[in-house]
């Protein structure tokens, strides 16, 4: 069974407080609530000016190829509060990069750490991945704390071009390698 079959098998999964599932078009309003606030997406992508812009982004970037992309929902309310996804999957090297965002009123409550830990476990136990990475902007201390709390280790600091502004930025990469002492 390849990784895409396994990802399809785990389109839906839960953690203690979260429910992860594919995005639905009915998430557009919740997505817009996140995407229209620049604080939520400071390190992710440009702020969305309208519901229509969010609908386009939702359909084209989160729903078009859904495997390896999950809406993060708070279990109690079932409301979509963020996203976690594989930015890059390399089936040959058995590695992937994880990207995520969370609505700001859910920050600092351990939700993203919980989601990253569960995806890390599934990546190792079910998806056959040996290495995961999380790349953060140098100034994104919150995301760096998530990576460290989820058992990722500092791997390197580097300069790179921001995918939206094309400006050179400083980044930090964290890695989790199956079998290494990370936790």
């Amino acid at each position: 069974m390849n990784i895409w079959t396994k990802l399809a098998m785990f389109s839906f999964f839960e953690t203690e407080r979260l429910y992860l599932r594919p995005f639905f078009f009915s998430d557009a309003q919740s997505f817009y609530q996140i995407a229209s606030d620049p604080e939520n997406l400071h390190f992710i992508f440009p702020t969305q000016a309208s519901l229509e812009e969010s609908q386009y982004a939702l359909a084209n970037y989160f729903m078009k190829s859904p495997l390896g992309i999950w809406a993060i929902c708070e279990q109690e309310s079932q409301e979509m509060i963020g996203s976690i996804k594989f930015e890059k999957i390399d089936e040959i090297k058995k590695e992937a990069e994880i990207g995520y965002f969370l609505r700001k009123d859910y920050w600092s409550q351990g939700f993203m750490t919980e989601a990253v830990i569960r995806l890390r476990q599934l990546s190792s136990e079910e998806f056959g991945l040996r290495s995961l990475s999380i790349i953060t902007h140098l100034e994104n201390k919150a995301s760096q704390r998530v990576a460290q709390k989820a058992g990722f280790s500092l791997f390197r600091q580097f300069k790179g071009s921001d995918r939206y502004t094309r400006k050179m930025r400083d980044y930090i990469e964290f890695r989790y390698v199956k079998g290494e002492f990370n936790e």
Side-chain angles (χ1 to χ4, degrees), residues 55-109:
Q55 289 171 330
Y56 177 88
L58 183 66
N60 285 274
Y61 304 117
F62 294 87
M63 295 178 69
K64 189 174 177 180
S65 299
L67 294 178
I69 302 174
W70 295 270
I72 299 173
C73 303
E74 193 269 324
Q75 264 193 16
E76 201 169 292
S77 68
Q78 294 292 302
E79 183 179 4
M80 192 278 291
I81 60 171
S83 174
I84 190 166
K85 68 180 191 169
F86 288 125
E87 296 283 348
K88 302 169 187 157
I89 296 174
D90 186 324
E91 287 184 271
I92 305 300
K93 293 181 180 177
K94 298 193 179 304
E95 62 186 26
E97 180 184 328
I98 297 175
Y100 48 80
F101 61 84
L102 191 65
R103 199 170 79 201
K104 71 180 178 183
D105 52 327
Y106 286 89
W107 291 357
S108 300
Q109 299 176 52

Side-chain angles (χ1 to χ4, degrees), residues 77-160:
S77 68
Q78 294 292 302
E79 183 179 4
M80 192 278 291
I81 60 171
S83 174
I84 190 166
K85 68 180 191 169
F86 288 125
E87 296 283 348
K88 302 169 187 157
I89 296 174
D90 186 324
E91 287 184 271
I92 305 300
K93 293 181 180 177
K94 298 193 179 304
E95 62 186 26
E97 180 184 328
I98 297 175
Y100 48 80
F101 61 84
L102 191 65
R103 199 170 79 201
K104 71 180 178 183
D105 52 327
Y106 286 89
W107 291 357
S108 300
Q109 299 176 52
F111 286 107
M112 191 53 71
T113 301
E114 188 175 314
V116 171
I117 287 171
R118 184 65 181 128
L119 187 56
R120 186 200 77 205
Q121 291 168 336
L122 288 172
S123 295
S124 174
E125 297 166 8
E126 299 293 340
F127 307 150
L129 296 174
R130 288 186 281 226
S131 175
L132 295 173
S133 64
I134 294 173
I135 297 175
T136 74
H137 290 89
L138 180 64
E139 62 273 22
N140 189 349
K141 302 298 184 196
S143 198
Q144 293 164 27
R145 281 191 301 275
V146 166
Q148 291 170 324
K149 287 180 180 180
F152 287 67
S153 300
L154 179 63
F155 179 69
R156 67 180 175 137
Q157 182 174 337
F158 64 97
K159 287 194 177 296

